[in-house]
Amino acid sequence: EAGVAQSPRYKIIEKRQSVAFWCNPISGHATLYWYQQILGQGPKLLIQFQNNGVVDDSQLPKDRFSAERLKGVDSTLKIQPAKLEDSAVYLCASSPWQGAGNEQFFGPGTRLTVL
Amino acid sequence: TQLLEQSPQFLSIQEGENLTVYCNSSSVFSSLQWYRQEPGEGPVLLVTVVTGGEVKKLKRLTFQFGDTRKDSSLHITAAQPGDTGLYLCAGPSNDYKLSFGAGTTVTVRA
């Protein structure tokens, strides 16, 4: 079974530029998560989708971050414009169904450096 | 605010030694998960503990959930270089959302 795919793996941009990340979850997984992991910290949930609907985006900085999962499969996360403090690893995860006690399957992440 | 506090933050030991890492909270959790994250990879689930006092073993790894369900520990016996990684505990902050601790970085030297 193929795992969660993410691209690109690495991205370096200057502040105020835009960037987009892509995630393809495990086939059949209805729940998709985007996390931000700053160096030295655990992953922080940015947004959670159930199929193509948003379950939680309370910690998404909506003035600069946006995410979509139009067909309930793959998803994109965009930052526009980027700030220095956005430097982090962006992890995508998926789960067969909604529920905090369920196992989440993570992709390898995209390491973003904002200069 | 971190609901889950992990300690120590860093741990470096020699191959063959034992180690224990801790995950503590002031809140009661219905379950706790432990993940291991290797450099350049995403976290991978090791175990889920759901009952207070529960002990689960995974080869040389022993996980314990505290009786009050506010804390958990991970003990590794005879650590090997392959055990190197970031160990994260995570617990539900509501019915659908998982909150992670900051993790313990474990380095096992050959």
Side-chain angles (χ1 to χ4, degrees):
Chain A
E1 178 181 75
V4 176
Q6 289 189 247
S7 67
R9 291 295 311 273
Y10 305 92
K11 190 73 177 178
I12 300 174
I13 61 172
E14 296 192 347
K15 61 183 179 184
R16 292 188 288 273
Q17 286 187 324
S18 302
V19 64
F21 312 128
W22 174 82
C23 172
N24 190 15
I26 292 173
S27 177
H29 281 196
T31 309
L32 185 147
Y33 313 82
W34 282 103
Y35 288 89
Q36 180 192 59
Q37 186 175 24
I38 292 173
L39 187 64
Q41 298 181 18
K44 182 185 83 171
L45 181 68
L46 293 175
I47 189 167
Q48 178 181 341
F49 293 94
Q50 180 68 15
N51 296 309
N52 61 351
V54 175
V55 175
D56 187 318
D57 63 357
S58 58
Q59 296 198 84
L60 187 73
K62 298 180 187 64
D63 58 333
R64 298 184 301 106
F65 286 63
S66 65
E68 60 184 13
R69 193 185 184 200
L70 291 176
K71 296 183 179 179
V73 181
D74 55 355
S75 176
T76 55
L77 176 69
K78 296 180 182 178
I79 307 175
Q80 180 180 5
K83 292 185 175 181
L84 296 177
E85 59 261 36
D86 298 332
S87 293
V89 175
Y90 291 85
L91 294 164
C92 178
S94 69
S95 185
W97 48 80
Q98 189 173 305
N102 296 315
E103 178 177 3
Q104 296 185 19
F105 297 82
F106 285 83
T110 297
R111 181 175 296 276
L112 174 67
T113 301
V114 182
L115 303 175
Chain B
T1 304
Q2 289 277 13
L3 294 178
L4 291 163
E5 299 289 336
Q6 292 192 243
S7 62
Q9 188 177 358
F10 300 97
L11 194 54
S12 180
I13 60 170
Q14 200 71 30
E15 181 177 4
E17 293 181 337
N18 303 332
L19 68 97
T20 303
V21 298
Y22 300 92
C23 175
N24 294 288
S25 176
S26 58
S27 304
V28 175
F29 285 92
S30 57
S31 64
L32 277 178
Q33 298 178 346
W34 283 93
Y35 287 80
R36 179 170 65 210
Q37 184 176 18
E38 298 184 10
E41 300 297 328
V44 175
L45 181 68
L46 296 174
V47 77
T48 301
V49 286
V50 297
T51 305
E54 180 178 8
V55 177
K56 280 192 173 179
K57 293 192 174 184
L58 185 67
K59 297 183 180 179
R60 294 174 294 98
L61 278 60
T62 302
F63 303 85
Q64 185 164 6
F65 201 11
D67 291 339
T68 61
R69 290 187 285 126
K70 292 183 178 181
D71 58 273
S72 182
S73 63
L74 158 60
H75 182 80
I76 302 179
T77 302
Q80 299 177 0
D83 296 325
T84 292
L86 176 67
Y87 288 82
L88 295 158
C89 66
S93 55
N94 58 33
D95 286 344
Y96 57 83
K97 187 174 175 179
L98 205 60
S99 290
F100 285 82
T104 294
T105 299
V106 172
T107 303
V108 182
R109 304 184 305 274

PDB file of all heavy atoms in Angstrom, chain A residues 97-111:
ATOM      1  N   TRP A  97     -10.695   7.310   8.966  1.00  0.00           N
ATOM      2  CA  TRP A  97     -11.919   7.981   9.402  1.00  0.00           C
ATOM      3  C   TRP A  97     -11.581   8.983  10.480  1.00  0.00           C
ATOM      4  O   TRP A  97     -10.491   9.023  11.015  1.00  0.00           O
ATOM      5  CB  TRP A  97     -12.954   6.964   9.917  1.00  0.00           C
ATOM      6  CG  TRP A  97     -12.372   5.978  10.883  1.00  0.00           C
ATOM      7  CD1 TRP A  97     -12.127   6.168  12.209  1.00  0.00           C
ATOM      8  CD2 TRP A  97     -11.940   4.643  10.590  1.00  0.00           C
ATOM      9  NE1 TRP A  97     -11.553   5.046  12.754  1.00  0.00           N
ATOM     10  CE2 TRP A  97     -11.459   4.084  11.800  1.00  0.00           C
ATOM     11  CE3 TRP A  97     -11.940   3.854   9.432  1.00  0.00           C
ATOM     12  CZ2 TRP A  97     -10.965   2.780  11.868  1.00  0.00           C
ATOM     13  CZ3 TRP A  97     -11.452   2.557   9.510  1.00  0.00           C
ATOM     14  CH2 TRP A  97     -10.977   2.040  10.713  1.00  0.00           C
ATOM     15  N   GLN A  98     -12.560   9.830  10.788  1.00  0.00           N
ATOM     16  CA  GLN A  98     -12.379  10.903  11.757  1.00  0.00           C
ATOM     17  C   GLN A  98     -12.367  10.341  13.162  1.00  0.00           C
ATOM     18  O   GLN A  98     -13.050   9.379  13.449  1.00  0.00           O
ATOM     19  CB  GLN A  98     -13.528  11.893  11.590  1.00  0.00           C
ATOM     20  CG  GLN A  98     -13.383  13.179  12.371  1.00  0.00           C
ATOM     21  CD  GLN A  98     -14.486  14.143  11.993  1.00  0.00           C
ATOM     22  OE1 GLN A  98     -14.659  14.451  10.830  1.00  0.00           O
ATOM     23  NE2 GLN A  98     -15.229  14.595  12.976  1.00  0.00           N
ATOM     24  N   GLY A  99     -11.569  10.934  14.033  1.00  0.00           N
ATOM     25  CA  GLY A  99     -11.534  10.469  15.413  1.00  0.00           C
ATOM     26  C   GLY A  99     -10.129  10.608  15.945  1.00  0.00           C
ATOM     27  O   GLY A  99      -9.184  10.092  15.359  1.00  0.00           O
ATOM     28  N   ALA A 100      -9.979  11.298  17.087  1.00  0.00           N
ATOM     29  CA  ALA A 100      -8.647  11.610  17.587  1.00  0.00           C
ATOM     30  C   ALA A 100      -7.888  10.368  18.029  1.00  0.00           C
ATOM     31  O   ALA A 100      -6.673  10.369  18.082  1.00  0.00           O
ATOM     32  CB  ALA A 100      -8.756  12.599  18.745  1.00  0.00           C
ATOM     33  N   GLY A 101      -8.570   9.295  18.348  1.00  0.00           N
ATOM     34  CA  GLY A 101      -7.880   8.107  18.808  1.00  0.00           C
ATOM     35  C   GLY A 101      -7.375   7.217  17.697  1.00  0.00           C
ATOM     36  O   GLY A 101      -6.707   6.210  17.965  1.00  0.00           O
ATOM     37  N   ASN A 102      -7.673   7.581  16.457  1.00  0.00           N
ATOM     38  CA  ASN A 102      -7.271   6.744  15.337  1.00  0.00           C
ATOM     39  C   ASN A 102      -5.831   7.014  14.926  1.00  0.00           C
ATOM     40  O   ASN A 102      -5.319   8.118  15.103  1.00  0.00           O
ATOM     41  CB  ASN A 102      -8.181   6.991  14.135  1.00  0.00           C
ATOM     42  CG  ASN A 102      -9.599   6.591  14.423  1.00  0.00           C
ATOM     43  OD1 ASN A 102      -9.854   5.540  14.967  1.00  0.00           O
ATOM     44  ND2 ASN A 102     -10.539   7.459  14.065  1.00  0.00           N
ATOM     45  N   GLU A 103      -5.194   5.995  14.335  1.00  0.00           N
ATOM     46  CA  GLU A 103      -3.837   6.172  13.861  1.00  0.00           C
ATOM     47  C   GLU A 103      -3.819   7.131  12.695  1.00  0.00           C
ATOM     48  O   GLU A 103      -4.669   7.057  11.802  1.00  0.00           O
ATOM     49  CB  GLU A 103      -3.257   4.829  13.427  1.00  0.00           C
ATOM     50  CG  GLU A 103      -1.839   4.921  12.867  1.00  0.00           C
ATOM     51  CD  GLU A 103      -1.256   3.571  12.503  1.00  0.00           C
ATOM     52  OE1 GLU A 103      -1.975   2.566  12.623  1.00  0.00           O
ATOM     53  OE2 GLU A 103      -0.066   3.525  12.106  1.00  0.00           O
ATOM     54  N   GLN A 104      -2.849   8.024  12.713  1.00  0.00           N
ATOM     55  CA  GLN A 104      -2.634   8.926  11.592  1.00  0.00           C
ATOM     56  C   GLN A 104      -1.371   8.484  10.860  1.00  0.00           C
ATOM     57  O   GLN A 104      -0.368   8.161  11.485  1.00  0.00           O
ATOM     58  CB  GLN A 104      -2.493  10.370  12.072  1.00  0.00           C
ATOM     59  CG  GLN A 104      -3.760  10.899  12.717  1.00  0.00           C
ATOM     60  CD  GLN A 104      -3.677  12.364  13.083  1.00  0.00           C
ATOM     61  OE1 GLN A 104      -2.836  13.097  12.577  1.00  0.00           O
ATOM     62  NE2 GLN A 104      -4.560  12.799  13.962  1.00  0.00           N
ATOM     63  N   PHE A 105      -1.440   8.476   9.546  1.00  0.00           N
ATOM     64  CA  PHE A 105      -0.324   8.073   8.707  1.00  0.00           C
ATOM     65  C   PHE A 105       0.267   9.340   8.088  1.00  0.00           C
ATOM     66  O   PHE A 105      -0.435  10.074   7.383  1.00  0.00           O
ATOM     67  CB  PHE A 105      -0.806   7.109   7.613  1.00  0.00           C
ATOM     68  CG  PHE A 105      -1.354   5.824   8.159  1.00  0.00           C
ATOM     69  CD1 PHE A 105      -2.663   5.744   8.622  1.00  0.00           C
ATOM     70  CD2 PHE A 105      -0.554   4.696   8.235  1.00  0.00           C
ATOM     71  CE1 PHE A 105      -3.174   4.563   9.140  1.00  0.00           C
ATOM     72  CE2 PHE A 105      -1.057   3.505   8.747  1.00  0.00           C
ATOM     73  CZ  PHE A 105      -2.367   3.442   9.197  1.00  0.00           C
ATOM     74  N   PHE A 106       1.542   9.561   8.359  1.00  0.00           N
ATOM     75  CA  PHE A 106       2.185  10.807   7.958  1.00  0.00           C
ATOM     76  C   PHE A 106       3.016  10.631   6.690  1.00  0.00           C
ATOM     77  O   PHE A 106       3.637   9.576   6.469  1.00  0.00           O
ATOM     78  CB  PHE A 106       3.110  11.311   9.070  1.00  0.00           C
ATOM     79  CG  PHE A 106       2.395  11.911  10.230  1.00  0.00           C
ATOM     80  CD1 PHE A 106       1.877  11.116  11.242  1.00  0.00           C
ATOM     81  CD2 PHE A 106       2.236  13.287  10.325  1.00  0.00           C
ATOM     82  CE1 PHE A 106       1.206  11.674  12.325  1.00  0.00           C
ATOM     83  CE2 PHE A 106       1.575  13.852  11.410  1.00  0.00           C
ATOM     84  CZ  PHE A 106       1.058  13.043  12.404  1.00  0.00           C
ATOM     85  N   GLY A 107       3.057  11.693   5.905  1.00  0.00           N
ATOM     86  CA  GLY A 107       3.994  11.768   4.808  1.00  0.00           C
ATOM     87  C   GLY A 107       5.346  12.231   5.312  1.00  0.00           C
ATOM     88  O   GLY A 107       5.510  12.532   6.500  1.00  0.00           O
ATOM     89  N   PRO A 108       6.340  12.314   4.410  1.00  0.00           N
ATOM     90  CA  PRO A 108       7.701  12.686   4.830  1.00  0.00           C
ATOM     91  C   PRO A 108       7.867  14.166   5.144  1.00  0.00           C
ATOM     92  O   PRO A 108       8.860  14.558   5.755  1.00  0.00           O
ATOM     93  CB  PRO A 108       8.548  12.301   3.617  1.00  0.00           C
ATOM     94  CG  PRO A 108       7.615  12.405   2.465  1.00  0.00           C
ATOM     95  CD  PRO A 108       6.277  11.975   2.988  1.00  0.00           C
ATOM     96  N   GLY A 109       6.884  14.976   4.739  1.00  0.00           N
ATOM     97  CA  GLY A 109       6.966  16.396   5.041  1.00  0.00           C
ATOM     98  C   GLY A 109       7.657  17.221   3.969  1.00  0.00           C
ATOM     99  O   GLY A 109       8.402  16.693   3.134  1.00  0.00           O
ATOM    100  N   THR A 110       7.384  18.515   4.001  1.00  0.00           N
ATOM    101  CA  THR A 110       8.083  19.498   3.164  1.00  0.00           C
ATOM    102  C   THR A 110       8.803  20.456   4.100  1.00  0.00           C
ATOM    103  O   THR A 110       8.170  21.079   4.952  1.00  0.00           O
ATOM    104  CB  THR A 110       7.108  20.301   2.283  1.00  0.00           C
ATOM    105  OG1 THR A 110       6.453  19.421   1.366  1.00  0.00           O
ATOM    106  CG2 THR A 110       7.859  21.382   1.518  1.00  0.00           C
ATOM    107  N   ARG A 111      10.112  20.533   3.938  1.00  0.00           N
ATOM    108  CA  ARG A 111      10.894  21.459   4.770  1.00  0.00           C
ATOM    109  C   ARG A 111      10.957  22.802   4.077  1.00  0.00           C
ATOM    110  O   ARG A 111      11.534  22.926   2.989  1.00  0.00           O
ATOM    111  CB  ARG A 111      12.294  20.929   5.020  1.00  0.00           C
ATOM    112  CG  ARG A 111      13.145  21.845   5.908  1.00  0.00           C
ATOM    113  CD  ARG A 111      14.497  21.228   6.233  1.00  0.00           C
ATOM    114  NE  ARG A 111      14.349  20.010   7.008  1.00  0.00           N
ATOM    115  CZ  ARG A 111      14.197  19.972   8.323  1.00  0.00           C
ATOM    116  NH1 ARG A 111      14.157  21.094   9.018  1.00  0.00           N
ATOM    117  NH2 ARG A 111      14.091  18.817   8.955  1.00  0.00           N
TER     118      ARG A 111
END
